[in-house]
Amino acid sequence: MTTEITNWRSLGGYVSSDGRKVKEGLLFRCGQLFDLTDEQKDRVQNYYKIKRLVDFRGDEERQEYPDYLWSELDYEIIDVLKDTGTNQASVDEIVSANSHVEQDMLKTYEELALAESAKQGYHDFLLTLMTDPVPVAFHCFAGKDRTGVAAALILKSLDVSEEQIFTDYLKTISARKKANEEILEYLKDKMDPNNLNDVAIALTVERQYLERYFSTVKKHYGNFDHYFTDGLKLPQDFKEQMQKNYLV
């Protein structure tokens, strides 16, 4: 039996406000595609038939943990936190977490809403989804923060309820459980218990993080419709085209 890629899941099957469903086989979120088994490589390439891979990580992350790539794959790099002073969502920042880790994570989610690199990055990502709907996988390090926001934006554009969006977001807790336990086991003799606990917090998600993202968007733009057009500078018919492409 093939072991699924850590935190890999489809956005297919969620239901829009008008009762249509998100199509299967087109939208996949995951963690970094590093150190995959041969079976996992075959699965992502030939079973899911991924045509585009979008990488939200920074330069150092990509260099240290390069993705599995193959010929004919459209590999797109979008460093959404490039403009920020720190990247609490990266593996290095997580390992060097301090006692303010929850506040740092909340700040990161504000930056994912407002930083110019985030707005430009999510603009580019969503515009490509709108204009060229092929099977796509998108990820960061753990597939939880930068990726979680990307998934929320997609589902928002498809008029999926916030309840379902948070359900998808919080699936990361169980989806990363094994991988997080392995990281913590590796680190337990390398740092004191307080720092290890901070890392444990940073490796997972909490509802309040995505709530902070939503509240930041609404505070500055009123609602997501305005955020799409005024914040992300997407076309006026963006949602209409997305729903045409991805709902059935």
Side-chain angles (χ1 to χ4, degrees):
M1 180 179 178
T2 301
T3 302
E4 193 63 272
I5 296 164
T6 299
N7 212 6
W8 178 282
R9 58 185 178 275
S10 170
L11 297 186
Y14 290 112
V15 182
S16 69
S17 60
D18 63 5
R20 290 182 289 172
K21 288 187 176 182
V22 180
K23 293 179 181 178
E24 297 285 359
L26 286 175
L27 301 164
F28 298 91
R29 54 176 295 177
C30 57
Q32 59 193 13
L33 304 188
F34 173 73
D35 199 24
L36 301 187
T37 66
D38 288 341
E39 289 82 5
Q40 288 172 328
K41 292 175 181 178
D42 179 71
R43 191 165 180 82
V44 69
Q45 183 176 346
N46 299 313
Y47 178 77
Y48 293 115
K49 301 185 185 302
I50 297 302
K51 302 301 182 188
R52 179 180 301 116
L53 181 64
V54 179
D55 188 343
F56 294 126
R57 298 176 301 167
D59 291 341
E60 292 183 4
E61 293 176 284
R62 297 194 308 272
Q63 291 169 12
E64 188 170 359
Y65 305 100
D67 276 335
Y68 167 62
L69 305 175
W70 59 94
S71 62
E72 301 179 358
L73 175 72
D74 177 11
Y75 176 56
E76 186 174 356
I77 296 168
I78 302 177
D79 184 356
V80 292
L81 287 175
K82 186 175 183 178
D83 289 348
T84 64
T86 60
N87 182 354
Q88 192 64 33
S90 76
V91 61
D92 290 335
E93 291 290 339
I94 286 173
V95 171
S96 62
N98 55 51
S99 59
H100 305 105
V101 60
E102 287 192 356
Q103 289 304 311
D104 290 343
M105 293 303 300
L106 291 169
K107 180 182 177 182
T108 293
Y109 275 76
E110 293 176 0
E111 293 170 332
L112 287 169
L114 301 176
E116 289 304 316
S117 57
K119 290 190 290 186
Q120 184 62 53
Y122 288 130
H123 163 93
D124 295 344
F125 172 62
L126 293 169
L127 189 65
T128 301
L129 292 184
M130 185 191 84
T131 58
D132 189 19
V134 299
V136 60
F138 54 97
H139 77 90
C140 48
F141 155 58
K144 65 186 186 73
D145 303 310
R146 292 163 285 186
T147 299
V149 165
L153 287 169
I154 292 170
L155 295 174
K156 265 293 184 183
S157 76
L158 301 177
D159 278 340
V160 170
S161 68
E162 290 192 5
E163 179 183 359
Q164 293 177 86
I165 292 172
F166 276 91
T167 294
D168 177 74
Y169 175 74
L170 293 171
K171 284 181 179 179
T172 287
I173 296 173
S174 58
R176 281 205 55 85
K177 187 174 186 295
K178 180 181 178 182
N180 288 350
E181 287 174 349
E182 291 174 353
I183 292 171
L184 294 171
E185 178 66 23
Y186 172 77
L187 293 173
K188 73 176 185 179
D189 296 326
K190 304 180 187 302
M191 58 177 57
D192 67 53
N194 288 334
N195 287 342
L196 192 66
N197 184 63
D198 290 336
V199 173
I201 293 171
L203 281 171
T204 190
V205 297
E206 293 186 23
R207 186 181 181 91
Q208 65 170 325
Y209 300 159
L210 192 60
E211 285 176 340
R212 177 63 62 89
Y213 177 78
F214 275 44
S215 65
T216 301
V217 167
K218 292 170 183 176
K219 176 182 177 181
H220 289 266
Y221 292 93
N223 58 45
F224 273 86
D225 286 349
H226 290 150
Y227 184 63
F228 286 136
T229 56
D230 301 337
L232 302 187
K233 308 298 183 184
L234 291 161
Q236 292 290 332
D237 66 345
F238 165 68
K239 286 182 61 177
E240 178 185 349
Q241 293 302 316
M242 286 290 286
Q243 292 172 28
K244 181 180 179 180
N245 290 341
Y246 297 103
L247 292 180
V248 62

